[in-house]
Amino acid sequence: SRTQTNKSFKRLYLIEIGETLLLLTKYEEAANAFTEAYGLAANDDERATNLDRIAYAYASMKNFTKAIEFELKANLAFDRAGLLGEYAESGINLALYYLEVNDLSSAERTLLKFEKLARDNGGMYYLAKALYAESKYYKKKSNNELSKSKLDEANKIAHDIGAEDLKTLFNGS
């Protein structure tokens, strides 16, 4: 019991170290801290969160191949753990990482999957995020009309639900 408590505290400590290193733009060291914390995770929730942060650290380094590897694992773990919001967020991030490496077919498939998930479950926040990511996808495919349409729909939803963070994100790009 005491050993488990020490592992839990060490994991939390490593996560805090990782988050601090991200703020200091020491992404490689952050990825290492999150990887070590992952080894101490007690369940799928904790493993998924650590994998997601590892992916984010690699994405911050512009190493999108590694980001995809870890985000894919995180996404599966969030799904297993039944964490719908985190699952959707992770899936949208995964699609954006696919866009970064020009894997357009994986990006499209992933985005459509998470748009459907959000629509089917009434997740307007994640629907707006998925539509925003789709607008980036269509822009990359040089379909500016569809890109604008998706962005307009995302902005309308963000406005309707009062999601200031999304409005800032959408209008900053």
Side-chain angles (χ1 to χ4, degrees):
S1 168
R2 185 179 180 109
T3 305
Q4 187 56 46
T5 301
N6 288 343
K7 277 176 76 171
S8 295
F9 281 122
K10 184 171 183 184
R11 188 185 67 74
L12 292 172
Y13 169 76
L14 288 166
I15 290 168
E16 289 303 316
I17 293 290
E19 294 296 340
T20 302
L21 290 166
L22 285 176
L23 292 172
L24 297 171
T25 68
K26 296 183 178 200
Y27 303 123
E28 184 83 42
E29 293 170 49
N32 293 338
F34 292 127
T35 301
E36 192 176 341
Y38 171 80
L40 299 172
N43 55 48
D44 280 341
D45 296 22
E46 293 175 1
R47 280 186 280 281
T49 300
N50 288 125
L51 290 165
D52 182 64
R53 299 313 285 158
I54 295 166
Y56 179 80
Y58 279 114
S60 298
M61 286 186 264
K62 307 283 187 234
N63 184 341
F64 293 104
T65 303
K66 287 293 251 187
I68 288 167
E69 175 189 334
F70 285 99
E71 198 65 65
L72 195 52
K73 292 176 185 175
N75 195 251
L76 294 169
F78 281 132
D79 188 25
R80 263 194 321 272
L83 299 169
L84 199 57
E86 291 85 347
Y87 176 58
E89 182 84 30
S90 170
I92 293 165
N93 288 337
L94 179 61
L96 290 170
Y97 300 157
Y98 282 135
L99 273 182
E100 291 290 343
V101 296
N102 286 313
D103 184 347
L104 298 183
S105 64
S106 293
E108 180 182 38
R109 187 175 56 252
T110 305
L111 286 169
L112 294 176
K113 173 183 175 179
F114 286 96
E115 177 187 354
K116 182 180 180 342
L117 178 80
R119 287 188 192 280
D120 292 350
N121 290 284
M124 299 310 285
Y125 182 89
Y126 293 106
L127 177 57
K129 274 192 119 163
L131 292 167
Y132 165 72
E134 286 177 31
S135 79
K136 293 175 81 104
Y137 164 78
Y138 287 114
K139 189 173 199 157
K140 193 159 198 130
K141 288 193 77 168
S142 300
N143 187 337
N144 292 331
E145 193 175 308
L146 196 49
S147 175
K148 182 179 178 342
S149 165
K150 295 289 183 180
L151 185 58
D152 289 347
E153 188 179 353
N155 267 313
K156 182 185 180 326
I157 292 168
H159 178 76
D160 290 350
I161 64 173
E164 295 301 323
D165 62 322
L166 291 184
K167 291 195 272 187
T168 301
L169 173 70
F170 300 165
N171 295 311
S173 52

